[in-house]
Structure formats: C-alpha cells, structure tokens
Amino acid sequence: MNWKRRSTSGLAIDFPTLNVLGFFCYTISTCSFLYSPTIRAQYAARHPASPEPTVRFNDVAFGVHALVMVLLTYSQFFQWPWYLHVSSNQRASGPVLGIVWGSIVAIVALVILVMSYSGWQRQDPQDWAWIDVVYALEYVKLICTLVKYIPQAWVNYKRKSTQGWSILQILFDITGGVLSLLQLVIDASLQDDWSGITGNPLKLGLSNISIAFDLLFIVQHYLLYPGLVDPSVRTEGSPQQPLLTSDGDDSP
C-alpha cells in the first residue's frame, strides 16, 4: 500500500519500530525452543510433566517471514531505496524508543547475570539459565505487541479515519491469532498436560493481545470510520498540490 501510494502517510512509525524488535526477539526465542538442545533440556527440567515445548516449525517460519516483512516496512520510512513521501512528523516517539533501548539493555544485563551466576555451560535449569534469557526475549515481544497497536489506534482515532492503514493485515492477523491459540490448545491436549499452555506464555499472550487489538481495528474500520477520508493522507497519483484550484484554473 505504501509503495502504491508513494507515501507512508497514515502509518504510525512506532508500529514497525516495535515490530522489528518484537519479531527479532520472537524469531530468536522460537528457534531456541525448537533447535537448541540446551534450551530444550532446560525446558524439560522445568516442565517434567510435559517436557516437549509447544513450539513448532510453523512458529519459526512465521517469525522469519514476519521479521523480513517488518524490516521491509520499516525501511520505507527512509529515503533509500524507496524514495517515498515521509511526513516530517513521522518519527519514533520517546516512549517507544525508551522501550526499544530499555529492552536491549535489560536483555544484555540478563545475559551478564546468567553468565555470572551459572557460567556459560553446565547450568542448573532450576537456577539462572539460558532459558531465562529466552523467556526474557518472549516477554519483550509481548511488551512490543501490547504497546505497538496503541499509537496506530490513536492515530486512527485522531484522524477519524483508517486511510493508509491496511485492514487486510488485520484480518490476516486475527485469523492467525485464533489459529495459533487453537494450535496451542490442541498441542497441550495431545500431550495430556494443560500446563503446556502456560509453558508457552509467548504464544498464549500474543494470540490474546493480537485478537483484542484486531477487533478494535475492525470496529474502527467498519463501524466507526467507514469510508471516511483523511485529506492529509496522500493517495495514489495525488501530488503535493491539487491539479485544479478552487476557481477551476489549471495552473500549478
């Protein structure tokens, strides 16, 4: 949509900013639970009743795909290589930058803590261990998901329009959230241990948070502001100045 309109107007930059951090953390955490013998062993030690993490290949594929797409979207706020129209006020807000840098500092501090208490290898799973770093990455993703929708919801409310904000991604997102939650329930039932649901707080939290905000955006798009146009948002083929002046003169 941004490329088609040659503009990023209508999209809050806080959304892709938090998405980049969130999906980076999500991808690392899901890959760790699926492919790292150390993390899987520590998970099994902490969840003896259901030692198999409820993370599947589709979770990793989703994370990698989402990370690539959000990086692509975020790059559109820079001149090269897209050369789109970016409003001068489309800058990441202070609170969002605080979350980004605060999360990075917290993760680094936790890594130092784990290495100080438990060393690099032969860690006690019941003490500080690498799995705690992975869980921290998951909670960073949850925070990003909880916060990232708020600026866009506020922008839509402030403009009384959802123009420039693709409803298709919301419809896909809510579908994915419902299916992800359903998969988590099915996996836990197959293991005959419902603690597998709480053992994967990332998927559980992401599904519920995403569904809640997606419903809000659907209400905004279809019920509150249906068809309302924000004149400040550039559309396809619209230049900076109108082609015709109010008196019908076609001079620029």
Side-chain angles (χ1 to χ4, degrees), residues 42-52 126 131 135 193 195 198-199:
Q42 292 175 355
Y43 180 90
R46 293 189 179 186
H47 301 85
S50 55
E52 183 75 16
Q126 305 303 328
I131 193 173
Y135 276 133
D193 184 3
S195 67
T198 56

Side-chain angles (χ1 to χ4, degrees), residues 138-149:
E138 292 189 345
Y139 286 120
V140 168
K141 170 56 179 167
L142 282 177
I143 292 173
C144 289
T145 300
L146 180 62
V147 175
K148 72 178 183 179
Y149 291 110

Side-chain angles (χ1 to χ4, degrees), residues 134 141 161 225 241:
V134 176
K141 170 56 179 167
S161 171
Y225 320 124
Q241 300 294 334

Side-chain angles (χ1 to χ4, degrees), residues 74-89:
Y74 185 71
S75 70
Q76 292 180 333
F77 286 89
F78 300 90
Q79 280 295 307
W80 188 88
W82 304 101
Y83 300 101
L84 304 182
H85 171 73
V86 180
S87 175
S88 59
N89 61 359

Side-chain angles (χ1 to χ4, degrees), residues 1-2 5 7-16 19 73-74 76-77 86-87 89-91 151-152 155-156 159 162-166 169 233:
M1 177 180 285
N2 292 340
R5 297 185 300 117
S7 172
T8 59
S9 300
L11 176 61
I13 192 174
D14 287 341
F15 185 80
N19 258 341
T73 302
Y74 185 71
Q76 292 180 333
F77 286 89
V86 180
S87 175
N89 61 359
Q90 285 185 299
R91 298 291 183 270
Q152 187 63 54
V155 167
N156 293 345
R159 297 185 300 121
T162 58
Q163 187 183 11
W165 171 250
S166 175
Q169 68 173 334
V233 176

Side-chain angles (χ1 to χ4, degrees), residues 33 36-47 51 114 120-135:
F33 274 117
S36 171
T38 299
I39 299 302
R40 292 176 68 87
Q42 292 175 355
Y43 180 90
R46 293 189 179 186
H47 301 85
V114 170
W120 183 264
Q121 295 178 334
R122 298 179 181 177
Q123 299 171 340
D124 181 2
Q126 305 303 328
D127 201 351
W128 289 105
W130 289 125
I131 193 173
D132 294 305
V133 177
V134 176
Y135 276 133

Side-chain angles (χ1 to χ4, degrees), residues 6 18 27 44 69 90 107 111 113 127 134 140 145 148 150 153 164 171 183 190 196 202 221 223 231-232 236:
R6 305 298 301 166
L18 289 172
T27 302
M69 296 307 295
Q90 285 185 299
I107 293 297
V111 170
L113 177 65
D127 201 351
V134 176
V140 168
T145 300
K148 72 178 183 179
I150 297 176
L171 298 179
Q183 181 194 25
L190 290 176
L202 178 61
H221 185 79
L223 298 180
S232 67
E236 181 184 9

Side-chain angles (χ1 to χ4, degrees), residues 37 41 56 63 69 112 119 194 204 210 215 220:
R56 300 293 180 261
M69 296 307 295
I112 295 174
W194 295 105
L204 178 63
S210 297
L215 289 174
Q220 284 185 324

